[in-house]
């Protein structure tokens, strides 16, 4: 009989706020680009998303990749007319975003403590190594996770590697996160389980996924307080076979 032997938690927008600061950065970026072009005609943020997507394999995820993509997009959108002073302001946006406060989501520490009291837990978070390490340290949650994985991408091979290192099968693993694309779908594709905790804001890239609605291996909760019960429900389903 299989049982749940490990519960994974995502970091950004699952444990602490993150996307809010990226959206604020985009608005500041728009203000700078608006000095050169008509924002409504240029579809500025859509262009920025396209640049970020094509740069993911080079710059990776996170604020630094976003900032480099902002600079590249700004040069393209303005036909290289943007001034060095304004490019410096784009760099400043990135620096300010890297230093944003780490604000835990309501009730998340209590929820992780409750889950960790019943099952082994691991933090699996994606993005820039230095920034993720800094946020984890400032979050005050590091003591709850015996092991922390900071990865460049969340895909089936990455999760398969982590699970192999723990010596467990995918069906013995539950992943908790806000992103269906990165936190839930890859685990479900491997045969594992997911608990989706939707966040109010989702990056367009992360909103794209291939999971069907009401997937039998996915539970959706409205708040952190519901996490222990949702995982217990999965455990019951696994036990029932």
């Amino acid at each position: 009989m299989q049982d749940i032997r490990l519960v994974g938690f995502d970091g950004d927008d699952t444990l602490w706020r993150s996307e809010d600061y990226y959206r604020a950065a985009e608005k500041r970026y728009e203000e700078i680009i608006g000095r050169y072009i008509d924002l409504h005609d240029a579809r500025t943020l859509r262009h920025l998303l396209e640049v970020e997507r094509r740069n993911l394999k080079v710059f990776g995820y996170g604020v630094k990749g976003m900032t480099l993509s902002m600079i590249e997009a700004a040069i393209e959108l303005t036909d290289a007319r943007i001034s060095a002073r304004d490019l410096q302001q784009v760099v400043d946006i990135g620096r300010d975003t890297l230093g944003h406060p780490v604000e835990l989501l309501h009730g998340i520490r209590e929820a992780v403590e409750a889950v960790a009291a019943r099952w082994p837990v691991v933090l699996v978070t994606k993005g820039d190594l230095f920034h993720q390490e800094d946020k984890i340290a400032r979050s005050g949650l590091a003591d709850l996770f015996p092991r922390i994985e900071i990865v460049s991408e969340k895909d089936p091979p990455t999760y398969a590697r982590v699970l192999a290192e723990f010596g467990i099968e995918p069906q013995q693993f539950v992943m908790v996160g806000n992103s269906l694309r990165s936190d839930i779908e890859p685990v479900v594709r491997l045969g594992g389980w997911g608990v989706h905790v939707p966040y109010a804001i989702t990056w367009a890239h992360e909103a794209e996924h291939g999971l069907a609605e009401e997937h039998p291996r996915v539970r959706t909760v409205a708040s952190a307080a519901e996490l222990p019960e949702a995982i217990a429900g999965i455990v019951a389903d696994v036990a029932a076979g």
Side-chain angles (χ1 to χ4, degrees):
M1 179 185 299
Q2 297 288 353
D3 58 352
I4 298 303
R5 295 177 53 191
L6 183 67
V7 177
F9 282 86
D10 168 54
D12 293 340
D13 298 318
T14 297
L15 301 181
W16 51 72
R17 300 187 188 281
S18 177
E19 191 62 26
D20 307 70
Y21 299 103
Y22 284 84
R23 291 297 174 89
E26 287 177 350
K27 289 193 175 298
R28 290 175 61 186
Y29 168 78
E30 270 197 302
E31 291 171 2
I32 294 170
I33 298 302
R35 301 166 190 167
Y36 298 88
I37 61 176
D38 184 333
L39 296 178
H40 297 291
D41 290 344
R43 299 179 180 179
T44 310
L45 292 185
R46 179 175 295 180
H47 179 266
L48 175 59
L49 176 63
E50 292 170 354
V51 174
E52 287 179 308
R53 279 176 166 161
R54 77 184 185 216
N55 285 336
L56 280 175
K57 291 185 178 180
V58 180
F59 300 147
Y61 293 88
V63 176
K64 294 174 187 176
M66 177 195 72
T67 305
L68 288 169
S69 292
M70 281 182 171
I71 292 171
E72 182 177 339
I75 293 170
E76 291 179 355
L77 283 169
T78 65
D79 294 323
R81 291 181 295 112
I82 188 168
S83 70
R85 186 181 301 275
D86 284 338
L87 286 178
Q88 179 61 56
Q89 289 189 14
V90 175
V91 173
D92 291 341
I93 291 171
R95 181 177 291 107
D96 293 344
T97 307
L98 282 170
H100 71 70
V102 178
E103 181 184 357
L104 296 183
L105 298 182
H106 179 70
I108 195 63
R109 183 176 181 90
E110 294 80 5
V112 175
E113 287 176 338
V115 172
R118 300 178 64 181
W119 302 281
V121 295
V122 59
L123 173 57
V124 185
T125 186
K126 176 178 70 177
D128 176 75
L129 177 63
F130 290 167
H131 194 205
Q132 290 295 322
E133 286 180 336
D134 178 60
K135 285 191 284 189
I136 292 166
R138 289 191 286 134
S139 74
L141 297 177
D143 62 298
L144 299 181
F145 295 98
R147 179 162 167 177
I148 295 171
E149 289 277 343
I150 300 174
V151 300
S152 58
E153 183 60 275
K154 284 181 171 177
D155 53 18
T158 298
Y159 284 108
R161 173 188 61 79
V162 172
L163 297 180
E165 292 177 1
F166 274 93
I168 66 172
E169 299 296 325
Q171 57 266 32
Q172 298 173 310
F173 178 62
V174 179
M175 184 65 189
V176 177
N178 70 294
S179 171
L180 287 170
R181 179 192 181 103
S182 294
D183 302 321
I184 309 301
E185 183 174 9
V187 173
V188 170
R189 297 298 180 209
L190 288 172
W193 301 79
V195 178
H196 183 217
V197 193
Y199 189 65
I201 308 171
T202 302
W203 184 32
H205 178 73
E206 292 293 339
E208 299 174 356
H209 63 87
L211 278 179
E213 291 187 17
E214 306 295 330
H215 194 286
R217 286 184 171 270
V218 179
R219 306 289 186 274
T220 300
V221 299
S223 68
E226 298 175 26
L227 286 172
E229 182 179 353
I231 297 169
I234 291 174
V235 170
D237 288 348
V238 173

